[in-house]
């Protein structure tokens, strides 16, 4: 990887394809910025930083720490004029003041000074008509791998030159509830007017995925597209199955039917032109996963490029134990859609 040193002594590595720098967000003088590293490069950085371990089959095993699931009570949306009448406010969509958001943002961006940061410039939405460029900025290399896996990236290394929305995820930065107005040190805050999501105080990668889904839920209905929390597969043209359900209820398992072609396992849009996947990867719950009942998903747990969250393993042999819920029942595997053999190319069904 070629490196470029700026006058501020920030080192840029990887594939930088933009003039829209991190200082646009208020992040000044990070030590190094790793732009759009590919899977192999991210494996190397994860190993170098002791963020995870390799399983005996090459999957990457990480531990999310205190948070092994989403912190839904710590998620809020900034109440501002542009979106105020477009959000259904209540227990699910809690509001947050713009002043508090901006103050927290300023301190959070200052946290990035002198740190190594990772950037993935990705897309969300397989239909080019509705595709959204999303940048994910993280302090953990494995979070960057998660973003690269779960969202749509051009495997020929072409990346969007400027994001439409940005997610900044710094697990090491915690809020001060009394000062910041958050419920706890953990926060997932989004401001639609600034096109910005801030995540702190949690290493659970699913917060990034669900935050981007929230963005699509907000944006697409205004363009005549129904945003759906569902999996989709098909047998042939016109034979489409849409499987709805809450997280962990079996959408991914049912969608990975060897007799049908997988479109996607979790998030889709339905426009006048057809059904399309939002994502480029799957995020499967793997507790008690078996080769007999779920062969396609089971195979991904033994593949290079798969990210295993909170899966128990033998420290001597690095063999994983998918039946062990010692850390959490919510053990997860993040893997590219291309790890499944029978998929719809491009993840778009018209």
């Amino acid at each position: 990887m070629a490196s470029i040193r700026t006058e501020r002594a920030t080192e840029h590595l990887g594939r930088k394809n933009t003039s829209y720098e991190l200082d646009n967000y208020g992040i000044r003088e990070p030590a190094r910025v790793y732009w759009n590293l590919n899977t192999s490069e991210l494996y190397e950085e994860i190993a170098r930083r002791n963020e995870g371990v390799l399983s005996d089959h090459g999957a990457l095993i990480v531990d999310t720490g205190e948070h092994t699931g989403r912190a839904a009570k710590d998620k809020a949306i900034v109440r501002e004029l542009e979106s105020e009448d477009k959000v259904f406010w209540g227990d699910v969509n809690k509001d947050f003041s713009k002043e508090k958001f901006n103050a927290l943002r300023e301190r959070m961006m200052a946290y990035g000074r002198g740190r190594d940061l990772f950037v993935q410039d990705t897309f969300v939405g397989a239909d080019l008509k509705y595709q959204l460029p999303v940048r994910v900025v993280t302090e953990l290399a494995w979070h960057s791998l998660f973003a690269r896996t779960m969202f749509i990236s051009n495997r020929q290394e072409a990346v969007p030159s400027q994001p439409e929305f940005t997610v900044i995820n710094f697990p090491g930065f915690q809020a001060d509830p009394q000062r910041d107005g958050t419920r706890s040190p953990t926060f997932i805050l989004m401001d639609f007017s600034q096109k910005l999501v801030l995540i702190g105080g949690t290493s659970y990668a699913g917060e990034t995925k669900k935050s981007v889904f929230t963005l699509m839920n907000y944006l697409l209905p205004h363009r005549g597209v129904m945003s759906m929390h569902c999996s989709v597969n098909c047998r042939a043209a016109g034979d489409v199955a849409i499987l709805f359900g809450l997280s962990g209820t079996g959408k991914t398992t049912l969608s990975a039917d060897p007799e049908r072609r997988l479109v996607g396992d979790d998030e889709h849009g339905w426009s006048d032109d057809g059904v399309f996947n939002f994502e480029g990867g799957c995020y499967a719950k793997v507790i008690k996963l078996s080769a007999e009942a779920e062969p396609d998903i089971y195979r991904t747990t033994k593949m290079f490029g798969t990210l295993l969250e909170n899966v128990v393993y033998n420290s001597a042999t690095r063999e994983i134990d998918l039946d062990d819920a010692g850390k959490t029942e919510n053990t997860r595997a993040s893997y590219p859609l291309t790890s499944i053999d029978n998929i719809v190319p491009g993840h778009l069904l018209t």
Side-chain angles (χ1 to χ4, degrees):
M1 293 178 290
S3 63
I4 304 169
R5 187 169 294 276
T6 73
E7 60 184 10
R8 295 172 299 171
T10 295
E11 192 175 6
H12 294 271
L13 303 103
R15 297 161 190 86
K16 184 168 174 284
N17 186 41
T18 180
S19 59
Y20 200 78
E21 302 275 3
L22 296 190
D23 58 9
N24 285 282
Y25 310 105
I27 301 174
R28 315 291 183 194
E29 300 180 15
R32 298 179 188 87
V33 182
Y34 296 85
W35 295 85
N36 300 299
L37 298 191
N38 64 31
T39 299
S40 297
E41 292 164 335
L42 285 167
Y43 259 62
E44 292 170 357
E45 291 300 327
I46 292 163
R48 185 176 295 122
R49 296 158 198 275
N50 296 315
E51 292 181 7
V53 300
L54 287 180
S55 76
D56 59 339
H57 285 86
L60 189 68
I61 308 169
V62 295
D63 191 322
T64 65
E66 176 187 357
H67 291 277
T68 58
R70 292 178 55 226
K73 294 181 179 179
D74 295 305
K75 185 174 180 178
I77 299 171
V78 171
R79 187 184 285 268
E80 43 81 29
L81 289 177
E82 183 177 325
S83 62
E84 185 171 18
D85 62 347
K86 300 181 180 71
V87 176
F88 189 79
W89 302 102
D91 290 338
V92 175
N93 295 317
K94 294 183 282 292
D95 66 341
F96 199 79
S97 83
K98 196 172 192 69
E99 293 73 25
K100 290 289 188 182
F101 180 90
N102 289 339
L104 179 59
R105 169 186 173 176
E106 186 175 339
R107 291 197 300 112
M108 185 177 178
M109 298 308 99
Y111 171 87
R113 176 171 293 181
R115 298 180 185 275
D116 289 355
L117 300 177
F118 295 83
V119 180
Q120 286 290 330
D121 285 312
T122 68
F123 298 100
V124 179
D127 189 334
L128 297 179
K129 186 185 297 185
Y130 304 105
Q131 194 170 76
L132 185 73
V134 174
R135 172 176 290 176
V136 183
V137 182
T138 66
E139 66 172 318
L140 295 177
W142 79 262
H143 275 186
S144 196
L145 176 59
F146 179 85
R148 181 176 180 83
T149 302
M150 292 308 304
F151 304 132
I152 299 170
S153 60
N154 188 314
R155 302 301 171 181
Q156 280 70 51
E157 310 309 336
V159 296
S161 59
Q162 185 166 326
E164 182 70 21
F165 275 83
T166 300
V167 178
I168 300 178
N169 189 336
F170 294 166
F173 178 83
Q174 295 187 335
D176 178 344
Q178 186 172 359
R179 175 180 183 178
D180 297 316
T182 56
R183 191 190 72 91
S184 77
T186 298
F187 58 91
I188 305 96
L189 304 174
M190 55 188 63
D191 186 336
F192 294 130
S193 66
Q194 297 188 59
K195 299 184 176 182
L196 184 64
V197 178
L198 303 180
I199 301 173
T202 173
S203 294
Y204 183 67
E207 299 291 7
T208 293
K209 168 185 160 66
K210 287 301 184 183
S211 294
V212 173
F213 186 41
T214 300
L215 295 178
M216 298 296 272
N217 286 341
Y218 171 74
L219 294 169
L220 289 185
H222 301 298
R223 302 183 63 188
V225 178
M226 183 165 70
S227 179
M228 303 180 293
H229 184 202
C230 67
S231 61
V232 176
N233 64 22
C234 66
R235 189 186 301 276
D239 179 13
V240 180
I242 298 176
L243 308 167
F244 292 97
L246 297 175
S247 296
T249 55
K251 296 188 303 300
T252 299
T253 298
L254 291 172
S255 64
D257 183 337
E259 301 299 320
R260 299 176 66 85
R261 301 171 71 197
L262 175 67
V263 179
D265 82 317
D266 195 51
E267 301 172 4
H268 294 80
W270 191 347
S271 72
D272 291 339
D273 301 321
V275 175
F276 61 96
N277 192 0
F278 290 170
E279 301 179 305
C282 297
Y283 193 42
K285 192 170 182 180
V286 295
I287 192 70
K288 302 189 185 305
L289 193 72
S290 73
E292 295 72 30
E294 299 142 315
D296 289 334
I297 301 174
Y298 183 84
R299 279 195 295 271
T300 70
T301 67
K302 298 180 180 294
M303 290 182 179
F304 174 86
T306 292
L307 192 60
L308 299 174
E309 282 186 333
N310 300 314
V311 170
V312 174
Y313 66 95
N314 184 307
S315 59
T317 66
R318 301 291 179 89
E319 182 179 358
I320 61 174
D321 184 351
L322 297 178
D323 294 324
D324 193 330
K327 292 184 180 180
T328 177
E329 287 278 345
N330 191 36
T331 54
R332 293 274 179 170
S334 167
Y335 52 89
L337 271 163
T338 50
S339 294
I340 303 294
D341 292 333
N342 195 19
I343 63 172
V344 175
H347 327 311
L348 171 64
L349 194 66
T350 58

